[in-house]
Amino acid sequence: SGSSDTIIVSADFNNEVVESNETNNSRTNIWTAHGGGTQVRIGAPGKVSPNHDFTVDVKINDVQDFDAANFDVSFNPAVLRLDGVTNGYMGNVAVPIDGWNVREPGRFTIVSNVPGLNGVSGNGSLAVLHFHVIGSLGQSSNITLSGGVLSNIQALEIPAVWLGDFVEVGII
């Protein structure tokens, strides 16, 4: 418990199965908790159809006094094409997109800003990404977030964990 846990998974724990190597019967991983606080993550559908459109929410959770965001979204440009970025929403408050620009094939910078001085708190989305599938059956693409900065109503950075997701081109 705490910020991380060590998990050990074992097969043939009592060494009852005769093997040439008895030292490889378990695996240990340390799982680190991301803890509470603000989280920004891609909400992808998992499986997408060839030559079809789909949307992805850039979700935000547990934010206080949010005012603005600036982040990069990246994906495999041989599999996906980003056709548009539209406003996110936190409750009934729009999170307008001030701009989205291509940095290189498969990487875009997105900027959003809540109008006024009050900001917004809670859960919702920073943006909605509109993709078109150009890849073939069996191809896949990560959709990742990087370089993200969230600002509050005092223009101070809001610490956040940024998480991506994955889509596979398949038959739905």
Side-chain angles (χ1 to χ4, degrees):
S1 293
S3 63
S4 66
D5 287 305
T6 301
I7 308 294
I8 301 172
V9 178
S10 297
D12 190 24
F13 180 74
N14 294 323
N15 293 323
E16 294 174 0
V17 176
V18 177
E19 303 173 68
S20 61
N21 182 358
E22 291 290 349
T23 64
N24 66 354
N25 289 342
S26 65
R27 178 174 177 144
T28 303
N29 274 335
I30 297 175
W31 296 79
T32 302
H34 292 293
T38 302
Q39 183 182 87
V40 180
R41 64 185 171 86
I42 293 291
K47 193 170 272 194
V48 293
S49 296
N51 200 32
H52 279 83
D53 297 329
F54 69 98
T55 60
V56 169
D57 289 335
V58 180
K59 298 179 178 186
I60 185 167
N61 296 327
D62 299 324
V63 69
Q64 299 297 314
D65 299 327
F66 169 78
D67 181 63
N70 182 331
F71 57 94
D72 285 358
V73 60
S74 300
F75 53 89
N76 183 341
V79 177
L80 303 175
R81 181 182 72 220
L82 184 62
D83 288 340
V85 179
T86 55
N87 295 348
Y89 284 88
M90 295 185 65
N92 61 353
V93 177
V95 179
I97 301 302
D98 285 349
W100 59 286
N101 299 299
V102 65
R103 294 291 177 210
E104 60 190 13
R107 185 167 71 97
F108 287 76
T109 296
I110 299 170
V111 178
S112 62
N113 186 13
V114 176
L117 302 174
N118 294 329
V120 65
S121 297
N123 304 319
S125 65
L126 295 177
V128 179
L129 310 177
H130 299 263
F131 284 102
H132 181 79
V133 180
I134 57 176
S136 304
L137 287 174
Q139 289 187 304
S140 61
S141 176
N142 291 317
I143 303 173
T144 60
L145 298 170
S146 62
V149 177
L150 302 176
S151 301
N152 68 16
I153 57 177
Q154 297 173 332
L156 300 173
E157 184 173 350
I158 300 169
V161 174
W162 297 77
L163 303 170
D165 207 347
F166 177 88
V167 293
E168 179 183 358
V169 181
I171 298 174
I172 299 178

